[in-house]
């Protein structure tokens, strides 16, 4: 039992130190490892398998809307990066520069892509000639590099994996519709697949993407009450098209600029899953995204017939469509339980000689720790049913947590008090003046997260300056 | 018809100029586009979809053998690259160097990975402690960079996509077995999925991978008689383990070095598909790897009922499991035929008012251009059957072409004559002395492709020096 306890004791409790708890979980659940390259990590099999599930599901949803995948180079020549003024200002300070190819200095240095708007524009400039070539709805899965000073696994690393969609359209309306379509796709994905409720809204001008006309965002609330921007979708209008000269001949044979969008989601989502659903025993994975959904753990497996029966149960669950494994290693059952909990596997099936005698097994839910005695012949059906139940319950619990951590405030005193004493989202009216946004950030460290699509008037004056205000904003401390 | 002819005329014929034919196909089949970054390309939707199919199938085969996917950083600190002597000599001259992060010079420059042995070693050094941690059978899908001087789409580009497997084992035997297992997996994949026959063999010491004890390779023959190395698998012995200090405690509590392997396949395979199967009308895709397997092309589609019936046929083929599309654009049927041929779609289904009247359609095979009149209710079953037939026929044709381009030679005169006049593989005995290998390359530009697993003694003297020889070698000009 000493070994079993050690595994559990090694995690700091969430209440004690949330940041340390997070770091402990990513390491102990074997999601990542650190490397010799500061700010870059190894994504280990347990972590990468989560990303593969995210990819597969997102990619499927993308393709249903007509998205096609492509691959563009990882390098951006400096002159290309500089073509759109706001964009270069936003990214140049944090890119990695390549200056030599082999032993030879490059004539022009190149950065490793921090994002690929400029490359897609350079490509579209040649690829788009006529209205018949539109729309272009392309996406790529790749890694990008941003030379951040402070890094944390999944949440902020110098290299991270993501997808970036880049589209070009004939009209402003079509670009706007695609921007919102992808934002809603992201939101639905988070809620349905990751069991993670999000607020859908628009970023203020101050917080929008470098070069965008409008940025839409989904914001999730972590267990510690901080917000996490979980996906963004940008409408560029024709700004990039004008900077890069991306024109097409319309049906009336007139030259027009295209309207563009881009949208992305990253491995940061894995950080979100951890911080929304995790507990003091480790990771808790929603069944849909869990690489392993059920672990069969035999008790007294050296006794005759136990392993064989455990394998039968595993096969029955697999036949019912579950991703299931059997832990027949020589570790103690208690150790195996701890590992299954640490890794966030949604259920375990315990099975010993007595259970077999009584033709039953015990299913333990990871999320609630509830134990269910189930007849062996019902195990597979029950496990399959639990996948849906757990997925739904996890979403409802996360939503209840989120909703109980929203504070509506009308005055600046209330705002300051909420930032200090009530972790979570703060909802307050805003006049629209960037000066108020800056003041709030300086005074409280809270930032505007988004102007939600669903607007309400909880007061008629700006929480900061007291002038007339008609915009409801979600504020919060953020990752 | 002018438009239709233009599309076809735009391709150079293979006989006239094979290199230009290749370039025409990759462009006209819309597989790639060139970019502002010299030596790097855009992989367009039609090209990337081929890669996705390759990935899906290879990944499935990998996982059946216990492979787990991971992701390691794209950067390698210079000191890490230098740890294994042969390896750094092999790669340092052709890497891209990152020297600045944002505005700040890096303390130590890093290269963009040309391959990740050093990173995996650095990772395994910490991740492997005990025999219980072995084997590690990890793989990653990513892009790598090699600063080549001369580049060609898919065949040799400065950045390319690939998978790289990296494994660590307790024993020499296990490492050797994994090396050969993966080589055979690659060979089977090429033959079964890409309809591309390969020769399986071992590289000479001169041609082996930088740092490897043994490199195994599969060599395919292109239509022009040149060889293409299509996949390699390396056994490193404990060389990297000693350089990096990767040790584990064995069952007797003794410290041992691990034995390692690596193996990779790249987007170069797309170049191989083009050059093995293509013809003067463009790409010819084997059905299993084809993103679109059948194109339904209506004739006189403005006539009542034609489009509706064409959609019915499309749906029937889709229901039979085919990846099928309907081309209902306003182009002429002839233009659509040319496009379908250029893109290598394995079959097209032609369907006009007269066909409908007679309750039939015409299926045209891309590979043989054979036309089949088929009753409408049999179209789906026939199309599904054709997928298997075409796949098999394409493999057999490629094998016949390969086999008819193998020349056995016993003397150096015969060798020189064969290099000059008989495009294809040359089989000849070799004494094992690197001097002969170098002389042959200098005299003829042919290189040793591999020592095939299936050995024969076609003579008992070295084709170059005349001394006793017991190694049969495949030689050839190569991409």
């Amino acid at each position: 039992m000493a070994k079993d306890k050690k595994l559990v004791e090694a995690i700091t409790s969430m209440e004690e130190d949330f940041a340390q708890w997070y770091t402990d979980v990513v390491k102990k659940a074997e999601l990542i490892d650190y490397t010799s390259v500061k700010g870059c990590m190894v994504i280990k099999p347990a972590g990468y398998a989560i990303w593969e599930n995210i990819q597969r599901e997102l990619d499927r949803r993308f393709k249903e809307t007509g998205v096609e995948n492509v691959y563009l180079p990882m390098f951006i020549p400096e002159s290309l990066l500089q073509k759109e003024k706001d964009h270069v200002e936003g990214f140049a300070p944090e890119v990695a520069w390549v200056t030599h190819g082999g032993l030879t200095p490059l004539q022009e240095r190149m950065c490793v892509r921090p994002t690929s708007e400029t490359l897609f524009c350079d490509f579209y400039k040649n690829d788009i000639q006529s209205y018949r070539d539109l729309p272009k709805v392309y996406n790529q899965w790749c890694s990008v590099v941003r030379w951040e000073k402070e890094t944390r696994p999944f949440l902020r690393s110098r290299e991270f994996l993501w997808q970036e969609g880049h589209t070009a359209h004939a009209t402003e309306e079509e670009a706007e519709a695609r921007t919102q379509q992808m934002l809603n796709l992201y939101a639905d994905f988070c809620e349905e697949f990751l069991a993670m409720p999000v607020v859908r809204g628009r970023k203020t001008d101050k917080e929008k993407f470098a070069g965008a006309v409008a940025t839409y965002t989904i914001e999730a609330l972590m267990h510690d009450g901080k917000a996490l921007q979980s996906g963004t979708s940008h409408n560029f209008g024709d700004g990039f098209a004008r900077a890069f000269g991306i024109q097409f001949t319309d049906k009336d044979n007139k030259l027009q600029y295209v309207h563009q969008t881009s949208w992305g989601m990253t491995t940061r989502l894995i950080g979100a899953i951890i911080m929304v659903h995790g507990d003091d025993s480790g990771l808790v994975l929603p069944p849909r995204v869990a690489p392993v959904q059920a672990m069969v753990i035999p008790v007294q497996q050296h006794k005759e017939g136990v392993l064989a029966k455990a394998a039968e149960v595993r096969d029955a669950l697999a036949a019912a469509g579950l991703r299931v494994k059997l832990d027949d290693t020589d570790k103690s059952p208690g150790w195996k339980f701890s590992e299954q909990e640490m890794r966030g596997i949604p259920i375990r099936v315990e099975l010993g000689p007595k259970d077999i005698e009584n033709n039953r097994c015990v299913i333990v839910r990871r999320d609630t720790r509830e134990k269910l005695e189930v007849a062996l012949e019902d195990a597979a059906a029950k496990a399959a049913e639990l996948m849906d139940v757990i997925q739904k319950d996890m979403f409802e619990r996360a939503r209840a947590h989120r909703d109980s951590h929203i504070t509506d405030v009308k005055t600046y005193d209330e705002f300051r008090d909420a930032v200090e004493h009530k972790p979570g989202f703060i909802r307050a009216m805003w006049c629209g003046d960037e000066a108020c946004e800056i003041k709030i950030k300086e005074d409280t460290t809270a930032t505007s997260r988004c102007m939600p699509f669903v607007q309400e008037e909880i007061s008629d004056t700006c929480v900061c300056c007291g002038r007339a205000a008609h915009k409801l904003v979600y504020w919060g401390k953020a990752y």
Side-chain angles (χ1 to χ4, degrees), chain A:
Chain A
M1 279 306 282
K3 263 191 166 179
D4 300 347
K5 284 186 83 179
K6 190 182 134 215
L7 188 73
V8 176
E9 277 177 359
I11 315 194
T12 309
S13 93
M14 294 170 95
E15 295 305 316
E16 194 183 310
D17 183 343
F18 193 78
Q20 187 58 48
W21 167 83
Y22 177 81
T23 309
D24 287 354
V25 172
V26 293
K27 277 288 290 179
K28 295 278 168 188
E30 299 191 26
L31 302 182
I32 70 119
D33 208 346
Y34 296 98
T35 70
S36 302
V37 189
K38 196 192 159 315
C40 294
M41 59 186 176
V42 170
I43 306 182
K44 296 174 75 169
Y48 198 81
I50 295 173
W51 182 239
E52 286 183 305
N53 284 348
I54 290 173
Q55 275 193 302
R56 193 178 305 114
E57 176 68 11
L58 265 183
D59 200 68
R60 188 184 68 72
R61 292 180 184 227
F62 289 166
K63 283 176 177 159
E64 276 180 8
T65 75
V67 172
E68 298 182 290
N69 285 336
V70 296
Y71 187 77
L72 270 65
M74 71 155 77
F75 298 121
I76 307 175
E78 187 165 19
S79 56
L80 199 59
L81 187 69
Q82 286 172 340
K83 277 207 174 171
E84 211 285 337
K85 199 183 124 290
D86 293 333
H87 191 70
V88 65
E89 279 175 14
F91 285 104
E94 57 174 37
V95 295
W97 290 105
V98 174
T99 57
H100 285 70
L103 307 171
T104 319
L106 299 180
Q107 287 194 304
E108 179 186 11
R109 64 179 187 166
M110 308 173 307
C111 70
V112 180
R113 64 181 159 224
T115 178
S116 302
E117 276 74 11
T118 54
L119 289 164
F120 272 89
C121 285
D122 197 41
F123 167 49
Y124 283 149
K125 193 184 57 187
N126 300 317
D127 208 43
I128 297 170
Q129 305 294 338
S130 138
Y131 70 93
R132 288 170 198 269
D133 300 326
L134 295 173
K136 294 283 183 198
V137 186
Y138 289 171
N139 174 66
Q140 72 177 357
W141 293 94
C142 62
S143 80
V144 288
V145 170
R146 297 179 187 177
W147 217 249
E148 307 274 2
K149 295 220 165 53
E150 307 230 342
T151 61
R152 300 193 59 195
F154 296 120
L155 299 178
R156 196 173 290 276
S157 52
R158 286 185 170 173
E159 181 186 4
F160 57 87
L161 301 178
W162 79 346
Q163 58 68 219
E164 47 178 326
H166 295 268
T167 72
H169 306 269
T171 66
E172 202 176 324
E173 295 69 32
E174 204 183 297
E176 176 63 20
R178 175 57 73 167
T179 315
Q180 295 204 20
Q181 178 184 22
M182 298 318 287
L183 197 275
N184 283 315
L185 186 155
Y186 286 162
D188 294 344
F189 168 80
C190 284
E191 300 194 332
E192 293 162 11
F193 200 73
L194 308 182
M196 186 170 93
V198 294
V199 177
R200 306 168 195 218
R202 181 174 176 164
K203 286 285 185 193
T204 61
D205 282 351
K206 179 176 178 298
E207 299 288 332
K208 75 185 182 192
F209 184 79
V213 172
T215 289
Y216 301 108
T217 180
I218 48 174
E219 301 282 327
L221 198 69
M222 303 298 103
H223 197 86
D224 64 346
K226 281 196 194 167
L228 189 81
Q229 177 180 306
S230 303
T232 48
S233 185
H234 316 290
N235 184 346
F236 292 120
D238 61 4
F240 275 94
R242 287 178 185 274
F244 284 81
I246 313 173
Q247 288 184 295
F248 68 99
T249 318
D250 70 11
K251 286 183 182 172
D252 303 326
N253 217 26
K254 280 188 194 153
L255 269 183
Q256 304 280 2
Y257 286 105
V258 300
H259 288 74
Q260 290 171 271
T261 83
S262 81
W263 24 274
M265 271 196 162
T266 80
T267 33
R268 173 171 249 215
L269 286 174
I270 300 174
I273 295 169
I274 298 167
M275 292 195 292
V276 167
H277 299 300
D279 65 22
D280 281 349
S281 301
L283 197 57
V284 184
L285 289 173
R288 290 196 188 137
V289 77
V292 180
Q293 297 175 311
M295 182 66 86
V296 179
I297 301 181
V299 176
Q300 296 188 280
Q301 66 184 37
H302 58 280
K303 294 228 168 135
E304 205 192 314
V306 173
L307 272 181
K309 189 56 86 178
E312 261 178 46
V313 170
R314 176 202 54 200
D315 294 344
L317 266 62
L322 274 86
R323 298 187 286 269
V324 56
K325 283 197 171 175
L326 164 62
D327 188 347
D328 57 2
T329 58
D330 60 3
K331 300 165 193 165
S332 74
W335 179 265
K336 292 177 185 179
F337 297 164
S338 290
E339 273 192 342
Q340 167 260 327
E341 290 177 2
M342 180 65 75
R343 291 176 186 173
I345 297 168
I347 59 168
R348 70 168 175 258
V349 184
E350 303 177 4
L351 186 72
K354 256 199 196 138
D355 297 308
I356 294 170
E357 226 178 272
N358 294 313
N359 190 44
R360 65 170 191 204
C361 61
V362 178
I363 300 183
V364 186
R365 285 175 64 161
R366 172 66 184 88
D367 63 328
T368 57
R369 284 151 196 283
E370 190 188 344
K371 292 187 180 204
L372 298 120
E373 281 200 7
V374 182
L376 280 177
E377 64 271 24
D378 300 335
K382 187 69 195 170
E385 182 196 317
L386 276 175
M387 293 299 106
D388 290 333
V389 172
I390 294 173
Q391 184 81 26
K392 193 164 157 291
D393 287 358
M394 287 181 72
F395 177 74
E396 292 304 339
R397 264 197 311 279
R399 181 155 67 182
H401 177 268
R402 195 265 315 265
D403 290 349
S404 69
H405 287 77
I406 296 177
T407 309
D408 287 5
V409 303
K410 295 182 183 174
T411 69
Y412 205 49
D413 279 347
E414 285 173 8
F415 193 110
R416 299 175 81 129
D417 181 70
V419 174
E420 206 153 329
H421 301 296
K422 294 173 184 163
F425 285 127
I426 298 168
R427 302 204 312 163
M429 301 305 290
W430 174 54
C431 60
D433 188 342
E434 198 164 306
C436 289
E437 224 182 325
I438 293 169
K439 180 173 162 56
I440 287 174
K441 186 175 179 184
E442 280 174 359
D443 288 351
T444 69
T445 75
T447 51
S448 72
R449 304 313 311 151
C450 70
M451 301 176 283
F453 288 157
V454 182
Q455 284 279 317
E456 291 170 61
E457 293 240 339
I458 61 175
S459 115
D460 56 7
T461 55
C462 175
V463 74
C464 181
C465 67
R467 284 176 290 178
H470 302 291
K471 286 211 167 69
L472 176 65
V473 171
Y474 275 71
W475 310 82
K477 294 188 187 179
Y479 278 95

